Structure formats: C-alpha cells, structure tokens
PDB file of all heavy atoms in Angstrom:
ATOM      1  N   GLN A   1       3.130 -29.170  -7.706  1.00 93.00           N
ATOM      2  CA  GLN A   1       3.621 -28.042  -8.530  1.00 93.00           C
ATOM      3  C   GLN A   1       3.550 -26.722  -7.753  1.00 93.00           C
ATOM      4  O   GLN A   1       4.485 -25.867  -7.847  1.00 93.00           O
ATOM      5  CB  GLN A   1       2.944 -27.966  -9.869  1.00 93.00           C
ATOM      6  CG  GLN A   1       3.289 -29.173 -10.753  1.00 93.00           C
ATOM      7  CD  GLN A   1       2.297 -30.325 -10.541  1.00 93.00           C
ATOM      8  OE1 GLN A   1       1.499 -30.355  -9.527  1.00 93.00           O
ATOM      9  NE2 GLN A   1       2.394 -31.291 -11.399  1.00 93.00           N
ATOM     10  N   LEU A   2       2.492 -26.520  -7.013  1.00 93.00           N
ATOM     11  CA  LEU A   2       2.360 -25.286  -6.174  1.00 93.00           C
ATOM     12  C   LEU A   2       3.496 -25.247  -5.058  1.00 93.00           C
ATOM     13  O   LEU A   2       4.008 -24.215  -4.802  1.00 93.00           O
ATOM     14  CB  LEU A   2       0.960 -25.186  -5.635  1.00 93.00           C
ATOM     15  CG  LEU A   2      -0.156 -24.848  -6.607  1.00 93.00           C
ATOM     16  CD1 LEU A   2      -1.548 -25.120  -6.004  1.00 93.00           C
ATOM     17  CD2 LEU A   2      -0.066 -23.424  -6.920  1.00 93.00           C
ATOM     18  N   ALA A   3       3.697 -26.334  -4.514  1.00 90.00           N
ATOM     19  CA  ALA A   3       4.737 -26.418  -3.441  1.00 90.00           C
ATOM     20  C   ALA A   3       6.089 -26.136  -4.009  1.00 90.00           C
ATOM     21  O   ALA A   3       6.876 -25.417  -3.371  1.00 90.00           O
ATOM     22  CB  ALA A   3       4.660 -27.786  -2.708  1.00 90.00           C
ATOM     23  N   GLN A   4       6.321 -26.611  -5.211  1.00 92.00           N
ATOM     24  CA  GLN A   4       7.629 -26.336  -5.900  1.00 92.00           C
ATOM     25  C   GLN A   4       7.724 -24.852  -6.267  1.00 92.00           C
ATOM     26  O   GLN A   4       8.770 -24.209  -6.264  1.00 92.00           O
ATOM     27  CB  GLN A   4       7.805 -27.272  -7.150  1.00 92.00           C
ATOM     28  CG  GLN A   4       8.046 -28.706  -6.752  1.00 92.00           C
ATOM     29  CD  GLN A   4       8.048 -29.590  -7.983  1.00 92.00           C
ATOM     30  OE1 GLN A   4       7.842 -29.167  -9.096  1.00 92.00           O
ATOM     31  NE2 GLN A   4       8.305 -30.852  -7.749  1.00 92.00           N
ATOM     32  N   ALA A   5       6.578 -24.253  -6.640  1.00 93.00           N
ATOM     33  CA  ALA A   5       6.505 -22.897  -7.068  1.00 93.00           C
ATOM     34  C   ALA A   5       6.796 -21.904  -5.923  1.00 93.00           C
ATOM     35  O   ALA A   5       7.100 -20.749  -6.165  1.00 93.00           O
ATOM     36  CB  ALA A   5       5.170 -22.551  -7.700  1.00 93.00           C
ATOM     37  N   LEU A   6       6.835 -22.412  -4.723  1.00 91.00           N
ATOM     38  CA  LEU A   6       7.111 -21.621  -3.559  1.00 91.00           C
ATOM     39  C   LEU A   6       8.615 -21.204  -3.635  1.00 91.00           C
ATOM     40  O   LEU A   6       9.089 -20.233  -2.977  1.00 91.00           O
ATOM     41  CB  LEU A   6       6.917 -22.299  -2.212  1.00 91.00           C
ATOM     42  CG  LEU A   6       5.364 -22.621  -2.024  1.00 91.00           C
ATOM     43  CD1 LEU A   6       5.240 -23.373  -0.684  1.00 91.00           C
ATOM     44  CD2 LEU A   6       4.640 -21.316  -1.900  1.00 91.00           C
ATOM     45  N   GLY A   7       9.392 -21.971  -4.403  1.00 92.00           N
ATOM     46  CA  GLY A   7      10.760 -21.542  -4.644  1.00 92.00           C
ATOM     47  C   GLY A   7      11.031 -20.575  -5.795  1.00 92.00           C
ATOM     48  O   GLY A   7      12.235 -20.223  -6.063  1.00 92.00           O
ATOM     49  N   ASP A   8       9.895 -20.189  -6.373  1.00 94.00           N
ATOM     50  CA  ASP A   8      10.057 -19.234  -7.519  1.00 94.00           C
ATOM     51  C   ASP A   8      10.581 -17.812  -7.015  1.00 94.00           C
ATOM     52  O   ASP A   8      10.297 -17.391  -6.001  1.00 94.00           O
ATOM     53  CB  ASP A   8       8.752 -19.081  -8.164  1.00 94.00           C
ATOM     54  CG  ASP A   8       8.774 -18.507  -9.648  1.00 94.00           C
ATOM     55  OD1 ASP A   8       9.149 -17.236  -9.782  1.00 94.00           O
ATOM     56  OD2 ASP A   8       8.530 -19.184 -10.532  1.00 94.00           O
ATOM     57  N   GLN A   9      11.495 -17.278  -7.848  1.00 94.00           N
ATOM     58  CA  GLN A   9      12.108 -16.000  -7.442  1.00 94.00           C
ATOM     59  C   GLN A   9      11.099 -14.776  -7.610  1.00 94.00           C
ATOM     60  O   GLN A   9      11.333 -13.742  -6.995  1.00 94.00           O
ATOM     61  CB  GLN A   9      13.335 -15.714  -8.378  1.00 94.00           C
ATOM     62  CG  GLN A   9      14.460 -16.757  -8.103  1.00 94.00           C
ATOM     63  CD  GLN A   9      14.938 -16.728  -6.728  1.00 94.00           C
ATOM     64  OE1 GLN A   9      15.242 -15.640  -6.187  1.00 94.00           O
ATOM     65  NE2 GLN A   9      15.056 -17.845  -6.092  1.00 94.00           N
ATOM     66  N   ASP A  10      10.035 -15.054  -8.333  1.00 95.00           N
ATOM     67  CA  ASP A  10       9.098 -13.883  -8.575  1.00 95.00           C
ATOM     68  C   ASP A  10       8.057 -13.905  -7.375  1.00 95.00           C
ATOM     69  O   ASP A  10       7.488 -14.895  -6.991  1.00 95.00           O
ATOM     70  CB  ASP A  10       8.317 -14.149  -9.853  1.00 95.00           C
ATOM     71  CG  ASP A  10       7.334 -12.936 -10.178  1.00 95.00           C
ATOM     72  OD1 ASP A  10       7.837 -11.857 -10.409  1.00 95.00           O
ATOM     73  OD2 ASP A  10       6.157 -13.239 -10.094  1.00 95.00           O
ATOM     74  N   ALA A  11       7.904 -12.737  -6.829  1.00 95.00           N
ATOM     75  CA  ALA A  11       7.062 -12.533  -5.591  1.00 95.00           C
ATOM     76  C   ALA A  11       5.624 -12.844  -5.894  1.00 95.00           C
ATOM     77  O   ALA A  11       4.890 -13.400  -5.041  1.00 95.00           O
ATOM     78  CB  ALA A  11       7.228 -11.157  -5.065  1.00 95.00           C
ATOM     79  N   GLN A  12       5.159 -12.520  -7.144  1.00 96.00           N
ATOM     80  CA  GLN A  12       3.726 -12.786  -7.513  1.00 96.00           C
ATOM     81  C   GLN A  12       3.450 -14.281  -7.587  1.00 96.00           C
ATOM     82  O   GLN A  12       2.356 -14.734  -7.113  1.00 96.00           O
ATOM     83  CB  GLN A  12       3.311 -11.995  -8.739  1.00 96.00           C
ATOM     84  CG  GLN A  12       3.299 -10.483  -8.616  1.00 96.00           C
ATOM     85  CD  GLN A  12       2.881  -9.798  -9.849  1.00 96.00           C
ATOM     86  OE1 GLN A  12       2.134 -10.346 -10.638  1.00 96.00           O
ATOM     87  NE2 GLN A  12       3.505  -8.656 -10.108  1.00 96.00           N
ATOM     88  N   VAL A  13       4.328 -14.978  -8.211  1.00 96.00           N
ATOM     89  CA  VAL A  13       4.173 -16.364  -8.348  1.00 96.00           C
ATOM     90  C   VAL A  13       4.141 -17.105  -6.961  1.00 96.00           C
ATOM     91  O   VAL A  13       3.401 -17.918  -6.651  1.00 96.00           O
ATOM     92  CB  VAL A  13       5.288 -17.031  -9.233  1.00 96.00           C
ATOM     93  CG1 VAL A  13       5.153 -18.551  -9.179  1.00 96.00           C
ATOM     94  CG2 VAL A  13       5.205 -16.486 -10.662  1.00 96.00           C
ATOM     95  N   TRP A  14       5.135 -16.690  -6.098  1.00 94.00           N
ATOM     96  CA  TRP A  14       5.199 -17.174  -4.818  1.00 94.00           C
ATOM     97  C   TRP A  14       3.961 -16.884  -4.012  1.00 94.00           C
ATOM     98  O   TRP A  14       3.390 -17.811  -3.362  1.00 94.00           O
ATOM     99  CB  TRP A  14       6.445 -16.578  -3.992  1.00 94.00           C
ATOM    100  CG  TRP A  14       6.488 -17.011  -2.629  1.00 94.00           C
ATOM    101  CD1 TRP A  14       7.135 -18.128  -2.167  1.00 94.00           C
ATOM    102  CD2 TRP A  14       5.957 -16.444  -1.460  1.00 94.00           C
ATOM    103  NE1 TRP A  14       7.013 -18.302  -0.812  1.00 94.00           N
ATOM    104  CE2 TRP A  14       6.219 -17.263  -0.296  1.00 94.00           C
ATOM    105  CE3 TRP A  14       5.160 -15.235  -1.301  1.00 94.00           C
ATOM    106  CZ2 TRP A  14       5.832 -16.909   0.966  1.00 94.00           C
ATOM    107  CZ3 TRP A  14       4.740 -14.935   0.001  1.00 94.00           C
ATOM    108  CH2 TRP A  14       5.103 -15.714   1.055  1.00 94.00           C
ATOM    109  N   PHE A  15       3.504 -15.652  -4.027  1.00 94.00           N
ATOM    110  CA  PHE A  15       2.286 -15.274  -3.160  1.00 94.00           C
ATOM    111  C   PHE A  15       1.055 -16.035  -3.710  1.00 94.00           C
ATOM    112  O   PHE A  15       0.310 -16.454  -2.868  1.00 94.00           O
ATOM    113  CB  PHE A  15       2.146 -13.724  -3.356  1.00 94.00           C
ATOM    114  CG  PHE A  15       0.936 -13.292  -2.497  1.00 94.00           C
ATOM    115  CD1 PHE A  15       1.098 -13.180  -1.167  1.00 94.00           C
ATOM    116  CD2 PHE A  15      -0.327 -12.992  -3.108  1.00 94.00           C
ATOM    117  CE1 PHE A  15      -0.087 -12.762  -0.387  1.00 94.00           C
ATOM    118  CE2 PHE A  15      -1.350 -12.651  -2.421  1.00 94.00           C
ATOM    119  CZ  PHE A  15      -1.289 -12.399  -1.038  1.00 94.00           C
ATOM    120  N   GLN A  16       0.856 -16.086  -4.987  1.00 94.00           N
ATOM    121  CA  GLN A  16      -0.354 -16.704  -5.490  1.00 94.00           C
ATOM    122  C   GLN A  16      -0.297 -18.256  -5.264  1.00 94.00           C
ATOM    123  O   GLN A  16      -1.330 -18.905  -4.945  1.00 94.00           O
ATOM    124  CB  GLN A  16      -0.572 -16.495  -7.006  1.00 94.00           C
ATOM    125  CG  GLN A  16      -0.879 -15.046  -7.186  1.00 94.00           C
ATOM    126  CD  GLN A  16      -2.097 -14.545  -6.527  1.00 94.00           C
ATOM    127  OE1 GLN A  16      -3.073 -15.270  -6.299  1.00 94.00           O
ATOM    128  NE2 GLN A  16      -2.090 -13.313  -6.058  1.00 94.00           N
ATOM    129  N   SER A  17       0.900 -18.779  -5.266  1.00 93.00           N
ATOM    130  CA  SER A  17       1.086 -20.182  -4.987  1.00 93.00           C
ATOM    131  C   SER A  17       0.779 -20.519  -3.498  1.00 93.00           C
ATOM    132  O   SER A  17      -0.002 -21.503  -3.167  1.00 93.00           O
ATOM    133  CB  SER A  17       2.530 -20.753  -5.291  1.00 93.00           C
ATOM    134  OG  SER A  17       2.747 -20.582  -6.649  1.00 93.00           O
ATOM    135  N   ILE A  18       1.269 -19.677  -2.620  1.00 91.00           N
ATOM    136  CA  ILE A  18       0.935 -19.968  -1.248  1.00 91.00           C
ATOM    137  C   ILE A  18      -0.568 -19.590  -0.889  1.00 91.00           C
ATOM    138  O   ILE A  18      -1.133 -20.316  -0.073  1.00 91.00           O
ATOM    139  CB  ILE A  18       1.939 -19.118  -0.272  1.00 91.00           C
ATOM    140  CG1 ILE A  18       1.962 -19.764   1.112  1.00 91.00           C
ATOM    141  CG2 ILE A  18       1.549 -17.680  -0.136  1.00 91.00           C
ATOM    142  CD1 ILE A  18       3.199 -19.852   1.729  1.00 91.00           C
ATOM    143  N   THR A  19      -1.076 -18.710  -1.652  1.00 92.00           N
ATOM    144  CA  THR A  19      -2.533 -18.362  -1.593  1.00 92.00           C
ATOM    145  C   THR A  19      -3.360 -19.619  -1.956  1.00 92.00           C
ATOM    146  O   THR A  19      -4.270 -20.021  -1.300  1.00 92.00           O
ATOM    147  CB  THR A  19      -2.870 -17.146  -2.312  1.00 92.00           C
ATOM    148  OG1 THR A  19      -2.176 -16.057  -1.822  1.00 92.00           O
ATOM    149  CG2 THR A  19      -4.373 -16.875  -2.150  1.00 92.00           C
ATOM    150  N   ALA A  20      -3.010 -20.178  -3.126  1.00 92.00           N
ATOM    151  CA  ALA A  20      -3.723 -21.410  -3.582  1.00 92.00           C
ATOM    152  C   ALA A  20      -3.643 -22.514  -2.594  1.00 92.00           C
ATOM    153  O   ALA A  20      -4.579 -23.216  -2.294  1.00 92.00           O
ATOM    154  CB  ALA A  20      -3.140 -21.828  -4.939  1.00 92.00           C
ATOM    155  N   ILE A  21      -2.375 -22.695  -2.045  1.00 89.00           N
ATOM    156  CA  ILE A  21      -2.293 -23.819  -1.027  1.00 89.00           C
ATOM    157  C   ILE A  21      -3.091 -23.529   0.241  1.00 89.00           C
ATOM    158  O   ILE A  21      -3.759 -24.381   0.729  1.00 89.00           O
ATOM    159  CB  ILE A  21      -0.792 -24.037  -0.630  1.00 89.00           C
ATOM    160  CG1 ILE A  21       0.007 -24.515  -1.810  1.00 89.00           C
ATOM    161  CG2 ILE A  21      -0.634 -24.857   0.530  1.00 89.00           C
ATOM    162  CD1 ILE A  21       1.533 -24.528  -1.739  1.00 89.00           C
ATOM    163  N   GLY A  22      -3.097 -22.221   0.683  1.00 88.00           N
ATOM    164  CA  GLY A  22      -3.966 -21.893   1.824  1.00 88.00           C
ATOM    165  C   GLY A  22      -5.402 -22.062   1.617  1.00 88.00           C
ATOM    166  O   GLY A  22      -6.184 -22.387   2.504  1.00 88.00           O
ATOM    167  N   LYS A  23      -5.916 -21.845   0.441  1.00 89.00           N
ATOM    168  CA  LYS A  23      -7.339 -21.970   0.099  1.00 89.00           C
ATOM    169  C   LYS A  23      -7.740 -23.425   0.080  1.00 89.00           C
ATOM    170  O   LYS A  23      -8.968 -23.791   0.070  1.00 89.00           O
ATOM    171  CB  LYS A  23      -7.642 -21.325  -1.203  1.00 89.00           C
ATOM    172  CG  LYS A  23      -7.687 -19.830  -1.148  1.00 89.00           C
ATOM    173  CD  LYS A  23      -8.145 -19.267  -2.436  1.00 89.00           C
ATOM    174  CE  LYS A  23      -8.294 -17.747  -2.448  1.00 89.00           C
ATOM    175  NZ  LYS A  23      -8.702 -17.164  -3.657  1.00 89.00           N
ATOM    176  N   MET A  24      -6.785 -24.366  -0.006  1.00 86.00           N
ATOM    177  CA  MET A  24      -7.099 -25.830   0.012  1.00 86.00           C
ATOM    178  C   MET A  24      -7.451 -26.277   1.349  1.00 86.00           C
ATOM    179  O   MET A  24      -8.106 -27.307   1.463  1.00 86.00           O
ATOM    180  CB  MET A  24      -5.928 -26.602  -0.545  1.00 86.00           C
ATOM    181  CG  MET A  24      -5.805 -26.373  -2.054  1.00 86.00           C
ATOM    182  SD  MET A  24      -4.297 -27.309  -2.578  1.00 86.00           S
ATOM    183  CE  MET A  24      -3.885 -26.439  -4.136  1.00 86.00           C
ATOM    184  N   GLY A  25      -7.036 -25.585   2.364  1.00 83.00           N
ATOM    185  CA  GLY A  25      -7.279 -25.927   3.711  1.00 83.00           C
ATOM    186  C   GLY A  25      -6.575 -27.163   4.109  1.00 83.00           C
ATOM    187  O   GLY A  25      -5.466 -27.461   3.694  1.00 83.00           O
ATOM    188  N   PRO A  26      -7.208 -28.023   4.988  1.00 84.00           N
ATOM    189  CA  PRO A  26      -6.520 -29.216   5.532  1.00 84.00           C
ATOM    190  C   PRO A  26      -6.108 -30.164   4.472  1.00 84.00           C
ATOM    191  O   PRO A  26      -5.201 -31.015   4.707  1.00 84.00           O
ATOM    192  CB  PRO A  26      -7.636 -29.800   6.418  1.00 84.00           C
ATOM    193  CG  PRO A  26      -8.528 -28.761   6.742  1.00 84.00           C
ATOM    194  CD  PRO A  26      -8.480 -27.798   5.592  1.00 84.00           C
ATOM    195  N   ALA A  27      -6.738 -30.156   3.382  1.00 81.00           N
ATOM    196  CA  ALA A  27      -6.381 -31.103   2.226  1.00 81.00           C
ATOM    197  C   ALA A  27      -4.942 -30.887   1.822  1.00 81.00           C
ATOM    198  O   ALA A  27      -4.352 -31.725   1.171  1.00 81.00           O
ATOM    199  CB  ALA A  27      -7.330 -30.950   1.100  1.00 81.00           C
ATOM    200  N   ALA A  28      -4.273 -29.721   2.040  1.00 77.00           N
ATOM    201  CA  ALA A  28      -3.090 -29.433   1.634  1.00 77.00           C
ATOM    202  C   ALA A  28      -1.960 -29.793   2.659  1.00 77.00           C
ATOM    203  O   ALA A  28      -0.822 -29.179   2.546  1.00 77.00           O
ATOM    204  CB  ALA A  28      -2.914 -27.911   1.265  1.00 77.00           C
ATOM    205  N   ILE A  29      -2.221 -30.479   3.696  1.00 78.00           N
ATOM    206  CA  ILE A  29      -1.267 -30.783   4.707  1.00 78.00           C
ATOM    207  C   ILE A  29      -0.009 -31.416   4.170  1.00 78.00           C
ATOM    208  O   ILE A  29       0.997 -31.266   4.788  1.00 78.00           O
ATOM    209  CB  ILE A  29      -1.976 -31.671   5.726  1.00 78.00           C
ATOM    210  CG1 ILE A  29      -1.150 -31.712   6.997  1.00 78.00           C
ATOM    211  CG2 ILE A  29      -2.184 -33.099   5.302  1.00 78.00           C
ATOM    212  CD1 ILE A  29      -1.176 -30.391   7.844  1.00 78.00           C
ATOM    213  N   GLY A  30      -0.121 -32.040   2.985  1.00 71.00           N
ATOM    214  CA  GLY A  30       1.135 -32.753   2.430  1.00 71.00           C
ATOM    215  C   GLY A  30       2.165 -31.702   2.047  1.00 71.00           C
ATOM    216  O   GLY A  30       3.282 -32.004   1.899  1.00 71.00           O
ATOM    217  N   ALA A  31       1.726 -30.393   1.790  1.00 69.00           N
ATOM    218  CA  ALA A  31       2.666 -29.412   1.462  1.00 69.00           C
ATOM    219  C   ALA A  31       3.224 -28.567   2.594  1.00 69.00           C
ATOM    220  O   ALA A  31       3.859 -27.617   2.340  1.00 69.00           O
ATOM    221  CB  ALA A  31       2.031 -28.428   0.369  1.00 69.00           C
ATOM    222  N   ALA A  32       2.873 -29.051   3.821  1.00 67.00           N
ATOM    223  CA  ALA A  32       3.188 -28.165   4.976  1.00 67.00           C
ATOM    224  C   ALA A  32       4.712 -27.952   5.106  1.00 67.00           C
ATOM    225  O   ALA A  32       5.109 -26.889   5.500  1.00 67.00           O
ATOM    226  CB  ALA A  32       2.682 -28.899   6.255  1.00 67.00           C
ATOM    227  N   LYS A  33       5.536 -29.023   4.842  1.00 67.00           N
ATOM    228  CA  LYS A  33       7.025 -28.741   4.988  1.00 67.00           C
ATOM    229  C   LYS A  33       7.458 -27.728   4.034  1.00 67.00           C
ATOM    230  O   LYS A  33       8.354 -26.882   4.399  1.00 67.00           O
ATOM    231  CB  LYS A  33       7.688 -30.053   4.672  1.00 67.00           C
ATOM    232  CG  LYS A  33       7.451 -31.192   5.763  1.00 67.00           C
ATOM    233  CD  LYS A  33       8.287 -32.366   5.524  1.00 67.00           C
ATOM    234  CE  LYS A  33       8.065 -33.402   6.566  1.00 67.00           C
ATOM    235  NZ  LYS A  33       8.702 -34.664   6.275  1.00 67.00           N
ATOM    236  N   GLN A  34       7.013 -27.729   2.736  1.00 66.00           N
ATOM    237  CA  GLN A  34       7.443 -26.699   1.799  1.00 66.00           C
ATOM    238  C   GLN A  34       6.961 -25.313   2.246  1.00 66.00           C
ATOM    239  O   GLN A  34       7.599 -24.286   2.081  1.00 66.00           O
ATOM    240  CB  GLN A  34       6.970 -27.001   0.407  1.00 66.00           C
ATOM    241  CG  GLN A  34       7.666 -28.201  -0.172  1.00 66.00           C
ATOM    242  CD  GLN A  34       6.814 -29.483   0.044  1.00 66.00           C
ATOM    243  OE1 GLN A  34       6.070 -29.664   0.967  1.00 66.00           O
ATOM    244  NE2 GLN A  34       6.982 -30.482  -0.943  1.00 66.00           N
TER     245      GLN A  34
END
C-alpha cells in the first residue's frame, strides 16, 4: 500500500510514504521498482 501511495497526487502522502519505506531499510527491497 505504501508503494502504491507513491502515486498519490498529494505531496505529504507521497513524502511520508517514501519515508516509511526508507525507514524499513533492506526489508523494503520489494518496493524498489516503485
């Protein structure tokens, strides 16, 4: 859902989603393409 939220038009949703993915570290490698 966080990877899909990277397509959100709202900058805050996008930024917090990418921040959440970044905080997961290597465990988030599956979302790398998005």
Side-chain angles (χ1 to χ4, degrees):
Q1 292 86 351
L2 286 164
Q4 290 173 357
L6 294 176
D8 199 290
Q9 295 299 311
D10 184 67
Q12 290 181 33
V13 173
W14 177 87
F15 181 79
Q16 293 303 322
S17 297
I18 200 141
T19 299
I21 292 170
K23 286 183 175 181
M24 291 177 201
I29 195 71
K33 288 182 183 176
Q34 290 95 331

